[in-house]
């Protein structure tokens, strides 16, 4: 009996089938709710954010829990290796340091970040089953080098030069912008990818003038990993001379007969002009004119000095000149022209108007003859264009002189005509005799004069004898 009782307590007798009855629907609903409660960790929720960091800086990864029930938090790397389990670090990488640990947060820092550290990092919460969420670390790499290359180190005005700016080994690719001084220019960029890095080259074509000499050309980089990264090169441009003539004496006064005249010539260019000379346009230079370097001196003006005097200067780029028109007035002249002496108003971009440093109005008239180009590097001076106030007065002065000359020629011609007519009438004035009066001077009386005159009665009836 005892043996049977033991078998009955232990389970069904051998050989009897075990009947499994299906659970009622209410039991199934309760079981599903319990399983869902276990999966969500009693309402716990993991939160994290993606991290963007510059190469070499520190990245901070944070795993936070809402509605925490003291479940264990751990952090894994992209290879699924545990970095931190609670406050313990199984991974032997000293760059990972614990910043904060609590029941609701696990915060870890990663120093000296490199490209190899980029990827997904997993936050896990030990519930049943475990919860998991990932954060992505993105590593930015700034350009390692920024260089500007210029096709020609020294350019000549009017040339088009090529500049290239290269930003190497960046991530992501950079955007390159060009500036000339404060003015933004447009270049053409090309991108090359090497593994996970990008190299960007931007090309700029620039036509240079004399105003660009000494101006910086700037290459500026737009990149999320760096601010205000730029490099620059200064342009060096050679240009032909700029010539100006100024009147030293008389200072803004009339050039009268018997008075002296002194002119000076100044030229600026790059390279600095070395050849300067004075000449008289369309005529020979008077012998009494003294030329000393860049100065021209006439000690005693007279009417024969009237004309245009030119100062020429040249350098390795070209030749330019400025003209001065001299008109000598009588000693009694008192009217002063608005602008005296300077002619050839500018009619092209190269004929510019410049002011004298001493305040004397001067006018530049540049003409060019191309010379061989050489590469020189000298600092040059620049001067500003003066205003053209007084140019209309100069034109009016020249017009009045032309009109006066025409009137003088007409008056002179009329005087010559009157003189010729007077001489003609004077030559043909006197007493005139007919043929009948010839011989009257030798006759004693009127009857004899008539007889002796040619064509008289005796001569008209001359008798002739003929011998046979």
């Amino acid at each position: 009996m005892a043996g049977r009782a033991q078998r009955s307590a232990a389970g069904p007798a051998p050989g009897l089938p075990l009947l499994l009855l299906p659970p009622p629907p209410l039991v199934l609903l309760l079981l599903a709710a319990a399983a869902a409660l276990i999966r969500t960790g009693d309402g716990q929720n993991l939160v994290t954010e993606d991290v963007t960091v510059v190469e070499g800086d520190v990245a901070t990864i944070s795993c936070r829990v809402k509605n925490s029930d003291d479940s264990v938090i751990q952090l894994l790397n992209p290879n699924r290796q545990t970095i931190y389990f609670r406050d313990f670090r199984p991974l032997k990488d000293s760059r990972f340091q614990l910043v904060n640990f609590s029941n609701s947060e696990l915060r870890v820092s990663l120093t000296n970040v490199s490209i190899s550290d980029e990827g997904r990092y997993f936050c896990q919460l030990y519930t049943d089953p475990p919860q998991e969420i990932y954060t992505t670390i993105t590593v930015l790499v700034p350009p390692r080098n920024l260089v500007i290359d210029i096709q020609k180190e020294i350019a000549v005005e009017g040339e088009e030069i090529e500049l290239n700016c290269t930003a190497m080994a960046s991530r992501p690719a950079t955007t390159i912008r060009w500036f000339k001084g404060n003015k933004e220019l447009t270049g053409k960029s090309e991108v090359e990818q090497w593994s996970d890095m990008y190299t960007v080259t931007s090309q700029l074509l620039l036509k240079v003038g004399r105003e660009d000499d000494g101006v910086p050309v700037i290459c500026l980089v737009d990149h999320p990993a760096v601010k205000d990264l730029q490099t620059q090169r200064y342009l060096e441009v050679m240009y032909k001379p700029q010539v100006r003539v100024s009147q030293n004496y008389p200072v803004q006064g009339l050039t009268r007969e018997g008075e002296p005249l002194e002119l000076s010539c100044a030229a600026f260019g790059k390279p600095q002009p070395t050849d300067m000379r004075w000449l008289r346009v369309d005529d020979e230079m008077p012998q009494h004119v003294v030329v000393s370097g860049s100065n021209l001196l006439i000690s005693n003006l007279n009417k024969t000095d009237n004309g245009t005097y030119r100062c020429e200067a040249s350098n390795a780029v070209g030749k330019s000149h400025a003209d001065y028109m001299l008109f000598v007035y009588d000693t009694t002249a008192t009217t002063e022209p608005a602008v005296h002496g300077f002619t050839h108003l500018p009619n092209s971009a190269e004929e510019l108007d410049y002011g004298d440093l001493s305040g004397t109005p001067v006018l530049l008239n540049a003409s060019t003859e191309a010379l061989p180009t050489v590469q020189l590097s000298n600092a040059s001076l620049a001067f500003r264009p003066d205003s053209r106030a007084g140019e209309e007065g100069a034109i009016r002065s020249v017009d009045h002189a032309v009109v006066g000359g025409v009137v003088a020629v007409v008056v002179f011609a009329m005087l010559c005509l009157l003189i010729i007519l007077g001489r003609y009438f004077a030559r043909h004035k006197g007493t005139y005799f007919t043929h009948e009066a010839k011989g009257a001077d030798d006759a004693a009386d009127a009857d004899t004069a008539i007889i002796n005159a040619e064509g008289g009665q005796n001569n008209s009836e001359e008798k002739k004898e003929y011998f046979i």
Side-chain angles (χ1 to χ4, degrees):
M1 292 294 294
R4 285 195 297 269
Q6 290 176 355
R7 282 194 298 270
S8 177
L16 296 176
L18 179 63
L19 297 177
L20 298 176
L21 298 176
L26 181 59
V27 175
L28 293 177
L29 290 175
L30 292 174
L31 292 175
L37 185 61
I38 293 174
R39 257 194 322 271
T40 58
D42 295 331
Q44 297 180 98
N45 188 17
L46 274 174
V47 179
T48 188
E49 297 89 15
D50 292 337
V51 179
T52 301
V53 63
V54 177
E55 185 182 34
D57 288 353
V58 178
T60 301
I61 306 171
S62 177
C63 300
R64 300 188 303 277
V65 181
K66 293 183 178 180
N67 304 323
S68 174
D69 64 349
D70 298 337
S71 298
V72 176
I73 307 173
Q74 72 170 353
L75 177 65
L76 294 82
N77 66 11
N79 297 324
R80 291 282 181 173
Q81 297 172 326
T82 301
I83 301 174
Y84 268 92
F85 183 84
R86 295 178 63 90
D87 57 351
F88 174 70
R89 187 185 69 197
L91 186 65
K92 303 303 180 183
D93 189 343
S94 60
R95 294 184 304 148
F96 290 97
Q97 297 292 326
L98 184 64
V99 177
N100 182 41
F101 169 73
S102 66
N103 292 333
S104 60
E105 183 184 33
L106 174 62
R107 188 187 306 169
V108 177
S109 66
L110 172 61
T111 60
N112 195 20
V113 178
S114 65
I115 292 293
S116 60
D117 297 321
E118 194 173 67
R120 290 182 175 181
Y121 290 76
F122 301 92
C123 296
Q124 287 187 347
L125 183 63
Y126 268 78
T127 58
D128 189 13
Q131 293 186 50
E132 182 178 278
I133 192 172
Y134 65 85
T135 178
T136 302
I137 292 182
T138 302
V139 180
L140 305 177
V141 180
R144 301 185 185 277
N145 198 11
L146 190 63
V147 180
I148 294 181
D149 293 324
I150 300 183
Q151 182 184 20
K152 295 183 68 175
E153 294 292 335
I154 302 177
V156 178
E157 62 175 341
E159 285 186 340
E160 185 177 67
I161 61 174
E162 177 182 328
L163 298 92
N164 291 282
C165 183
T166 303
M168 301 179 63
S170 65
R171 182 176 179 173
T174 61
T175 299
I176 294 179
R177 301 167 62 190
W178 288 97
F179 291 87
K180 185 181 74 172
N182 296 324
K183 180 181 179 181
E184 185 168 2
L185 307 176
T186 302
K188 183 180 179 181
S189 296
E190 294 183 357
V191 181
E192 295 182 5
Q193 183 176 0
W194 300 91
S195 183
D196 294 333
M197 299 295 182
Y198 298 88
T199 296
V200 180
T201 300
S202 181
Q203 181 187 72
L204 177 66
L205 297 178
L206 181 62
K207 187 174 182 179
V208 297
R210 65 181 64 193
E211 68 278 0
D212 296 322
D213 184 49
V215 175
V217 174
I218 302 169
C219 174
L220 178 67
V221 166
D222 281 341
H223 194 272
V226 66
K227 293 182 179 180
D228 300 329
L229 177 61
Q230 64 181 35
T231 185
Q232 65 183 16
R233 293 285 296 272
Y234 287 90
L235 296 174
E236 188 169 354
V237 183
M238 295 196 304
Y239 51 91
K240 64 186 178 182
Q242 299 171 335
V243 185
R244 61 180 182 179
V245 173
S246 58
Q247 179 178 308
N248 297 340
Y249 188 85
V251 179
Q252 296 183 347
L254 291 176
T255 49
R256 298 184 179 89
E257 282 187 293
E259 294 185 355
L261 171 68
E262 183 180 359
L263 303 177
S264 64
C265 179
F268 304 91
K270 188 171 184 179
Q272 185 66 19
T274 56
D275 184 16
M276 295 178 60
R277 68 190 187 103
W278 282 95
L279 56 92
R280 186 175 181 182
V281 180
D282 299 331
D283 203 348
E284 294 183 358
M285 186 74 77
Q287 294 184 354
H288 58 278
V289 173
V290 177
V291 176
S292 177
S294 61
N295 293 337
L296 182 146
L297 177 63
I298 303 177
S299 58
N300 189 5
L301 289 173
N302 58 68
K303 296 288 187 178
T304 61
D305 297 328
N306 289 342
T308 302
Y309 295 83
R310 173 173 296 177
C311 176
E312 288 185 346
S314 62
N315 60 8
V317 180
K319 180 188 294 184
S320 302
H321 70 264
D323 290 343
Y324 176 90
M325 188 180 73
L326 174 62
F327 184 81
V328 179
Y329 294 87
D330 294 333
T331 55
T332 58
T334 58
T335 303
E336 184 175 344
V339 176
H340 174 70
F342 301 95
T343 60
H344 292 273
L345 296 178
N347 55 13
S348 68
E350 295 177 351
E351 297 181 359
L352 303 177
D353 197 5
Y354 292 90
D356 184 23
L357 296 177
S358 63
T360 303
V362 296
L363 182 64
L364 171 68
N365 178 21
S367 64
T368 306
E369 296 180 9
L371 298 178
T373 301
V374 298
Q375 293 186 348
L376 299 173
S377 57
N378 293 327
S380 64
L381 300 176
F383 50 86
R384 300 179 180 175
D386 196 354
S387 64
R388 297 187 178 180
E391 289 181 357
E392 295 181 358
I395 297 174
R396 288 196 297 269
S397 177
V398 175
D399 292 342
H400 292 166
V402 173
V403 172
V406 172
V407 173
V409 171
V410 172
V411 172
F412 178 78
M414 293 180 65
L415 289 175
C416 292
L417 180 60
L418 291 175
I419 293 172
I420 293 173
L421 291 175
R423 290 178 61 85
Y424 177 82
F425 288 122
R427 178 172 294 181
H428 292 79
K429 182 179 180 182
T431 302
Y432 297 89
F433 300 95
T434 62
H435 289 286
E436 289 79 1
K438 289 183 178 181
D441 293 337
D442 299 331
D445 52 27
D447 294 335
T448 306
I450 294 173
I451 294 172
N452 293 336
E454 280 185 26
Q457 190 174 11
N458 293 337
N459 293 331
S460 61
E461 296 181 359
E462 184 178 356
K463 296 181 179 180
K464 296 181 182 180
E465 294 182 356
Y466 299 91
F467 295 94
I468 301 175

